């Protein structure tokens, strides 16, 4: 289901319903912090796809108005 799963990185498919937050990791990359605390690398394009899925999926913004509790980005 492309509305729930996105390619976050070359070898990682991410269920966006499990994302608690995104955090900056390096200059152009982020990690997704899942609800269970697992940290998953997310590429720049994977981040854009995940945000689009979160917005298109009708999820409510997290703290600070950012999707899925994205911290300050």
């Amino acid at each position: 289901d492309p509305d729930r799963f996105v390619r976050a990185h070359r070898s990682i498919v991410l269920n966006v319903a499990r994302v608690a937050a995104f955090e900056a990791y390096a200059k152009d990359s982020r990690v997704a912090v899942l609800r269970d605390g697992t940290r998953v690398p997310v590429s720049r394009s994977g981040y854009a796809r995940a945000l689009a899925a979160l917005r298109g999926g009708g999820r409510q913004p997290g703290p600070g108005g950012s999707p899925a509790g994205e911290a300050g980005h």
Side-chain angles (χ1 to χ4, degrees):
D1 182 1
D3 292 333
R4 291 181 41 204
F5 295 92
V6 297
R7 181 166 304 282
H9 211 280
R10 292 179 94 184
S11 61
I12 297 170
V13 176
L14 182 66
N15 180 346
V16 294
R18 300 289 182 192
V19 175
F22 290 101
E23 295 178 356
Y25 178 70
K27 181 180 176 184
D28 289 328
S29 65
R30 292 180 168 75
V31 293
V33 181
L34 305 184
R35 292 180 182 174
D36 68 359
T38 303
R39 299 170 64 84
V40 178
V42 179
S43 68
R44 184 175 41 210
S45 60
Y47 177 67
R49 285 189 294 268
L51 285 183
L54 287 168
R55 289 181 179 137
R59 294 216 20 207
Q60 296 298 315
S66 298
E70 179 191 1
H73 297 276

